[in-house]
Amino acid sequence: MNPGDRVRVERAGVTNEGVLMPSTTADYLVIKRDGGYNVGIEREDAEVDVLETDVYDVGDEGEGEDSSVVEFDDDLPTIALISTGGTIASTVDYRTGAVTARFDAEDVLRAVPDLAGRANYRGRVVANILSENMTPEIWRDLAAAVHEEIEAGADGVVVMHGTDTMQYSAAALSFMLDTPVPIVFTGSQRSADRPSSDNVMNAVCAVEAAKSDAAEVMVCMHASESDDVCALHEGTRVRKSHTSRRDAFRTIGAKPLGEVDYDTETVSFRRDYAERGAATLDIAADLADDVELVKFTPGMDPAAWDYLEGKSGVVIEGTGLGHVHTDLIPRIEELVDDGAVVAMTSQCLEGRVCDRVYDTGRDLLDAGVVEAGDTLPETAKVKLMWVIANTDDPVGAMQRSLNGELTEQSRPWT
């Protein structure tokens, strides 16, 4: 039997039927089932029947060194591809059939041949993690890597990132970098071994966005369940809003900044953006690591917040306009008295906090809470980490927009 043959494998009372795929180890068979998923099966004690030969053209993984070589074209822009891991940079662990983050940036080019001819590429790996393992230290490394690539002449940067924490990382780079070129985060909700994978379209659209005139930190992901348009979200206003849909990301409080048409390869924007070359490249990558994001829920024990003692910053996800139980207000006042910056956001996501309407809100303001307006809770945490480390007035900074995270408040009465 050879890769590409259709086989039936029986082992331990379980039968799997599909196309035999290349395996990285002699101890396991890899079968692509009809549903599109791969499964790894131990060879030992497995009974294999070849049902049909050469039903699928399967080449050996990594076959030929030329497959990862990208020729330089003076007429094309240079895009830096930076990998941090995640599903878009994942492959199948043939011991288990599970998806694992193993690709480096060169593998992404090999895995997405549609990227060829669009740009010259430079690839580097900052991390090789699933995004739930993201840390502020990796954000610092990522910001430094992006800064180095732009300084070296990259016309745009695409960051391959897991989707679960992409919004945090996009926000972090929005605050840490002044950029004269586009910085585009992209990922995929479904791995390349699945028929419904979104990795190719998202990667292609991200490269087109990185070639555009918008010198913004953006997130580029499917705009709908169809394979037609990718949305471009501002890095400080985006949120993952669905666990598994390909169009999981939303710009909160507005429509996306722009979009990329996959078929026509055109990039369009619906509102103002920072133009390419307008900003001078700069980096301020310091972060206060001791900042926490906490969620208030009815009935919670005030002692649950005891671990916040000694923190330099706390972001609270309050209810409605920005409220917590009155029993928690003395604890908040203690944190402020100890030097912490305590910022209030809302669990509602849409709309802004206003602690001047009800008695609880006024008591919170008296305790020293800072209103973060309509800043998203996740963005507020990253912003507070940055302003504590990089500004002389973090309280004031949390109340004004630095990179589009806080929209202008309508004041018709003024």
Side-chain angles (χ1 to χ4, degrees), residues 40-197:
I41 306 168
E42 283 191 80
R43 286 178 180 265
E44 186 176 359
D45 299 328
E47 297 182 8
V48 183
D49 294 323
V50 177
L51 305 178
E52 192 175 352
T53 60
D54 298 326
V55 298
Y56 192 80
D57 184 16
V58 179
D60 289 336
E61 187 174 327
E63 182 181 12
E65 293 184 2
D66 291 343
S67 61
S68 62
V69 174
V70 181
E71 295 183 0
F72 190 86
D73 186 335
D74 291 331
D75 296 327
L76 293 175
T78 297
I79 302 298
L81 298 179
I82 298 180
S83 175
T84 65
T87 302
I88 196 168
S90 292
T91 186
V92 177
D93 184 338
Y94 292 128
R95 294 175 297 104
T96 64
V99 173
T100 183
R102 289 165 61 164
F103 276 170
D104 62 19
E106 292 299 321
D107 291 313
V108 172
L109 294 180
R110 189 184 305 117
V112 188
D114 290 31
L115 292 178
R118 299 175 183 274
N120 301 308
Y121 299 104
R122 292 203 302 260
R124 64 190 293 176
V125 179
V126 169
N128 195 8
I129 61 169
L130 298 174
S131 73
E132 57 266 31
N133 296 325
M134 185 57 65
T135 65
E137 186 59 39
I138 298 177
W139 288 338
R140 286 186 276 264
D141 292 342
L142 179 58
V146 171
H147 182 271
E148 290 171 6
E149 291 296 332
I150 298 173
E151 196 171 43
D155 297 299
V157 178
V158 173
V159 179
M160 308 287 188
H161 196 291
T163 60
D164 282 1
T165 60
M166 187 187 296
Q167 65 205 56
Y168 291 90
S169 297
L173 262 63
S174 296
F175 297 118
M176 298 165 94
L177 290 167
D178 292 333
T179 177
V181 304
I183 301 171
V184 186
F185 282 76
T186 194
S188 61
Q189 286 284 81
R190 301 172 188 174
S191 55
D193 64 304
R194 296 179 63 177
S196 60
S197 177

Side-chain angles (χ1 to χ4, degrees), residues 15 19 30 35 41 50 75 90 94-95 98 145 155-156 182 189 260 281-282 302 343-344 356 383 399 404:
T15 301
V19 177
V30 181
I41 306 168
V50 177
D75 296 327
S90 292
Y94 292 128
R95 294 175 297 104
D155 297 299
Q189 286 284 81
V260 183
L281 179 64
D282 197 12
M344 181 64 72
R356 292 167 173 78
K383 179 181 181 179
Q399 298 177 87

